[in-house]
Every structure is written in structure tokens, then in C-alpha cells.
Amino acid sequence: MKSHRGTVTNFFPSFIDTGGPGTYSQLLIIKEYMTRMANDIRVDECDLYPADYFDIMGGLVTILLGYLKMNVDDAIDALVSVASAVFPPDAYEASDREENLNNLKEAVEALLEEKNVPLDMKMHDRRQPSTNCKIAIYAASSANLSHPAIFRTYTTRGTSLNPTIVEAICATMAVPSLFAPVKIGPRLREQSFVGGAVGTNNPTRELLKEAANVFGKDRRVAQILSIGAGRARLLALDHSGDTDSLGRLVKDMAADCGIVARELATRLHSVQAYLRLNVDRGMESIKMHDWASLGAIESHTSAYVEITTISEAIDASLRHILDRIGSATLGQISKQICVLL
């Protein structure tokens, strides 16, 4: 990976968004990057690891790509394995939240054991293999859903929680409608966490703030890559106005990553380093339990990356990633998005 004067940073900040089966679409987009890169630099695709090309990544699956340093194909296998254990094909949406959480925990533990990772390994741990890629994932305290808690694989100034990998993954996946809250910390001082702090289903904005704190406002940025889990259905209120309809609307609004994406697209329209990729057709009806519909997701994603403008944008993004030449600094970007850094 080439570096110019040690001042350029690649970001891969929004890998998870709302997640669910749409996460498969995100991995397929990254696979498109790795496939093209393998052809360009003439190496075997299985020897390419996204963690080698980004300085900071955020979102659940970046634990697989960054912390466990998998290639994309291995990450896809791991994702499907965990999802199948939590949401078997014969499951129904009204399944028990505690049972879902237990199934998730067991699936994550099985994955870590397969990779020879101790189950008590912390997010930031001395036993953690050295890597240049920093990973940050988000959850929300049940006591304050508007304030995102960040779990890091690195140290920063100030205090922060350092849960185990199992706890962190379960917490960031614990969507309240499907999973029971995850308790982290010693007895009497433990905190309960759920997935999806308001505004962090698409964590790009929060990660830009985090990056400025970690790397400094003067660090120039080569690439900010934000990848969505597929465009969600249009938010609308059922005319009946019943309680269930209102509840669904509130849940959808909280999870709508498009709000952040549209805001950043407006504020960063002049920043060449920023790119948002998100399959715009066919994903509207995909639900959390639809892990048996991955073939359809692959078809929609394939059609999306073959759109001429999208394909050209990916090629330009690849050049930014490989050359690591950035013009905008984190400080300049922070002014664009009006984030207090």
C-alpha cells in the first residue's frame, strides 16, 4: 500500500448501515473492488484483504474484515454461517428475543473458536494481532438511545468501554425488535446495550469525527467509502393511524440510513474523496429474516455495479485507494458537515 508523506488516510466508514441480509450486498460491493484490484495489480483475489487498504473502518462486518482480517469470500461465509444460526429458514418473525440473543452469542463464539480467537478477547487486547486498520463499531445504551457508545480496537484519550468481541458484536446487532439487550460490565455497574443508536445505523458522520480525533484535523483523506445495505422502502404513515403503524414508522425512521447519506451527499458534494454506494432497486422488501433470499440480493447488486456511472465511480475510487493521494483534510471535511470536532 503506497503512502505519500504519511499524510493520507483511506476511510471505509459505513459498512454496516441497517444490516440484515443487505449486509450481503455490502460484501458483494467490496468483492467487486477486490476483484478489480486483483486484476489491476495481478494478484490472486484470495490474497487481498480490505484491512490492508483502509486506515479506519466502522460497522459490524468490519470485525470480520478488519479485526479477524478475512478476505471477502471468507467474510461472506462467516456472515452466512452466523445469520443461518440466528435466523434458520424455518424461523418466523415473532421468535423469542432472548432465544435470538443466545443463538447469536453461540454463533459468534463458534466463529471465534474456529479462528482460534479466545472467547474472552477484548476489542482492544494485548493479544490482538498487530494491524494498521482501526475498527470502531457502535451501539446504544438502553438508558440513552440518542447517545452512541463506541467500541474500539485501539486506545484513545479519555475513558471508554472495552467489551469482549462477543459482547460488542451482540450489542451492535441487538435490534430491540429482534434481540434482548446485551449487558456489559461488572455486576451492579453493568449497562444494557441495543443496536442502532439514533443516527449511527449509517456511522459515516460519527466516524469522521472519530477519525479527526485519532489522526488529527490536518490529515488528508484519499477516500471516504460509504456502503449501504440497499435502499429501504419509502417511509410513509398508514392512514389508519393505528398504534402498530406508528410503531413501525418510528422504527423505520430510526433505522433509515438514507437520512444521513442524503445529508452527507449534500454537504460533501464538492469533496472528491467521498463516495456513497447503495443498491437502489430491488432491496425495498428485504427483511431481517430473509437470509434465504441471498440469490435475489446478488442479482440486484450485480445489476447495480454494472451501471455505467456506478462502475466508473468504483474505478475512480480504486485509484484513490491505491494511490492514496488526498486533497481535503479532516478539518476541512468537518467544516463541510458542520460537525463539532
Side-chain angles (χ1 to χ4, degrees), residues 82 85-88 95-110 166 170-171 173-174 178-183:
V82 171
V86 180
F87 303 111
S95 53
D96 183 79
R97 296 195 308 152
E98 288 286 353
E99 181 181 351
N100 284 346
L101 180 60
N102 289 333
N103 290 341
L104 173 61
K105 181 180 178 182
E106 291 176 1
V108 172
E109 288 177 344
V166 175
C170 290
M173 279 195 69
L178 294 172
F179 298 95
V182 176
K183 296 180 179 180

Side-chain angles (χ1 to χ4, degrees), residues 16-23 60 79 82-84 86-88 91-93 95 100 104 172-179 195-196 201 229 251 255 283-294 297:
I16 186 63
D17 272 17
T18 48
T23 306
L60 174 64
L79 173 69
V82 171
S84 299
V86 180
F87 303 111
Y92 59 97
E93 292 197 20
S95 53
N100 284 346
L104 173 61
T172 197
M173 279 195 69
V175 179
S177 60
L178 294 172
F179 298 95
N201 283 293
K251 182 174 70 175
M283 305 285 285
E284 299 88 351
S285 61
I286 300 295
K287 299 179 181 179
M288 185 65 78
H289 287 75
D290 291 343
W291 287 95
S293 303
L294 298 185
I297 291 175

Side-chain angles (χ1 to χ4, degrees), residues 150-202:
I150 181 170
F151 306 137
R152 305 174 175 91
T153 60
Y154 51 94
T155 58
T156 59
R157 296 183 68 225
T159 59
S160 62
L161 283 175
N162 186 27
T164 65
I165 304 174
V166 175
E167 290 172 333
I169 291 177
C170 290
T172 197
M173 279 195 69
V175 179
S177 60
L178 294 172
F179 298 95
V182 176
K183 296 180 179 180
I184 297 176
R187 196 173 69 87
L188 301 182
R189 292 191 290 126
E190 65 184 11
Q191 300 180 57
S192 293
F193 290 91
V194 296
V198 176
T200 60
N201 283 293
N202 178 338

